[in-house]
Amino acid sequence: MCSTNTKLKTNMDQLSRAKTDDKLRAKKIDKLVICRIPVSLLDFEVGHYWIELIHDDEDKVEHAIARARVNGLTEAGMIDLNIKCSKPNGYRESYGWFPSQLVVNPINIFHDKLIVSNDGILNGDHENRINKDKDKIISPKDDREAGRRTDNNELSLRPFDSHQNLRFHPGRITTTISPYILPDDKRTTKQIFSDIKETAIKFGENFNYWSWENDSYRETNCHTLLFIILASCNLADPEFIGENLDKHFTRYRKSLHRNIKKATSQHIERKELMDKLFKLSMMAKTNNDN
């Protein structure tokens, strides 16, 4: 990931320096979109979070894909052709975390005090989910169960979350906002994109499980991935985290603090990242309010 304890200290120093200049304003990154679909279930908050990276060429379609769509080729047929795509083909680069099973195995409910747990996969790119899509006509606009986690996959040049099609159906996404960088952050959009991709891919390599415990410090799910991406890549979320509107973040961070004596090194690192994200977001909010 692009965050280490050394970088964390450096970034905290940058936060302090930025605070001294009220004339500087945090910069919104319009080419990034944070997507949230919170769902209330009894007393529980579930749903899905992911982040989208908007490339100027995302709607370019290669000839083989265009022809396959005209001919009504299914995803199973596309996979059989073993084509490695060199264009985005309408699939927006995006990252989210999913359980490998569409219906979580009941055996895992309350296992080891975890309310729900399962194998985890970046962008839902698992054969269990891919098999559910096999009879669908290939289209970036339609609902699907599986995204892709690698470059040059059989559908797109870039990895994509299985919910990326909802950009064509904006009424189905609860909130879409763009994150910010602090005034002294001189990275280009391309560099930020690279940081996000590196963090998401590393997360997928380091973790192979998905768990949900109603915002407990021990869970690892789509909320966890989004928060780690934002913190690791120095991206502030003043409109939700800075305004305390994201209940998942607030409860997750409190749980990390409350259970610090039980925490592993992984949980301690996550606590530091959540504290960093909170400070980044509050700093961006303060700068932009002045």
Side-chain angles (χ1 to χ4, degrees):
M1 293 183 187
C2 56
S3 175
T4 63
N5 287 337
T6 300
K7 287 184 178 180
L8 181 63
K9 183 179 185 299
T10 300
N11 290 325
M12 289 300 99
D13 291 342
Q14 291 174 346
L15 284 174
S16 297
R17 288 198 300 273
K19 190 174 182 180
T20 64
D21 191 349
D22 290 337
K23 295 181 181 179
L24 297 177
R25 295 178 66 83
K27 177 184 175 182
K28 180 185 285 189
I29 308 301
D30 293 323
K31 293 288 187 178
L32 290 175
V33 182
I34 298 170
C35 300
R36 290 176 168 92
I37 305 179
V39 177
S40 296
L41 183 63
L42 297 177
D43 192 35
F44 303 117
E45 293 285 340
V46 292
H48 186 57
Y49 284 12
W50 71 102
I51 190 167
E52 298 184 344
L53 292 63
I54 304 175
H55 296 267
D56 292 337
D57 66 346
E58 66 182 19
D59 292 322
K60 289 186 176 180
V61 180
E62 51 201 310
H63 180 67
I65 293 289
R67 186 175 58 203
R69 289 174 181 168
V70 170
N71 294 333
L73 191 66
T74 64
E75 290 204 9
M78 197 70 216
I79 292 171
D80 289 342
L81 292 178
N82 198 30
I83 294 175
K84 300 301 180 185
C85 292
S86 59
K87 293 183 181 179
N89 299 318
Y91 294 93
R92 175 172 289 178
E93 182 175 8
S94 41
Y95 299 100
W97 193 250
F98 291 80
S100 62
Q101 300 282 352
L102 301 181
V103 178
V104 177
N105 189 341
I107 293 176
N108 288 327
I109 294 178
F110 301 112
H111 173 66
D112 191 29
K113 296 184 180 179
L114 287 175
I115 294 176
V116 179
S117 64
N118 210 308
D119 294 337
I121 193 77
L122 186 66
N123 287 343
D125 186 4
H126 190 277
E127 62 183 67
N128 292 333
R129 290 178 171 272
I130 292 173
N131 286 338
K132 292 290 185 180
D133 293 333
K134 65 181 180 180
D135 295 327
K136 296 178 180 177
I137 304 300
I138 56 172
S139 168
K141 298 182 179 181
D142 294 338
D143 291 346
R144 59 189 305 112
E145 301 297 344
R148 297 294 186 271
R149 57 189 162 128
T150 60
D151 291 327
N152 305 107
N153 56 74
E154 69 276 7
L155 296 177
S156 178
L157 166 68
R158 301 186 178 102
F160 60 92
D161 183 282
S162 64
H163 286 66
Q164 69 80 41
N165 71 300
L166 295 183
R167 68 189 174 98
F168 299 104
H169 314 280
R172 294 170 56 189
I173 304 178
T174 304
T175 61
T176 56
I177 61 171
S178 296
Y180 290 69
I181 56 174
L182 292 182
D184 61 347
D185 192 329
K186 305 304 182 185
R187 287 176 297 166
T188 65
T189 299
K190 184 177 180 180
Q191 289 172 325
I192 295 172
F193 279 13
S194 179
D195 288 345
I196 291 171
K197 180 175 183 176
E198 178 186 352
T199 303
I201 297 300
K202 282 285 188 182
F203 189 95
E205 292 172 348
N206 291 337
F207 302 102
N208 60 2
Y209 56 88
W210 175 97
S211 57
W212 177 85
E213 198 181 1
N214 205 23
D215 301 321
S216 162
Y217 77 104
R218 296 190 304 173
E219 68 180 20
T220 297
N221 50 45
C222 60
H223 311 135
T224 316
L225 174 59
L226 174 66
F227 299 149
I228 286 176
I229 286 175
L230 294 176
S232 298
C233 300
N234 298 319
L235 296 169
D237 185 5
E239 296 179 42
F240 265 71
I241 290 173
E243 293 283 357
N244 294 318
L245 296 178
D246 191 317
K247 294 180 181 179
H248 290 295
F249 176 81
T250 301
R251 289 163 48 160
Y252 180 58
R253 180 169 173 256
K254 284 182 178 178
S255 181
L256 284 164
H257 277 263
R258 189 166 52 247
N259 293 282
I260 192 63
K261 291 183 179 180
K262 307 175 188 175
T264 65
S265 58
Q266 171 193 295
H267 297 132
I268 292 172
E269 180 183 11
R270 290 186 178 182
K271 172 188 170 296
E272 292 175 347
L273 287 171
M274 296 310 105
D275 287 346
K276 175 185 173 184
L277 177 54
F278 178 75
K279 291 177 181 178
L280 280 167
S281 300
M282 291 301 295
M283 182 63 65
K285 179 181 182 304
T286 299
N287 282 348
N288 287 351
D289 284 346
N290 289 334

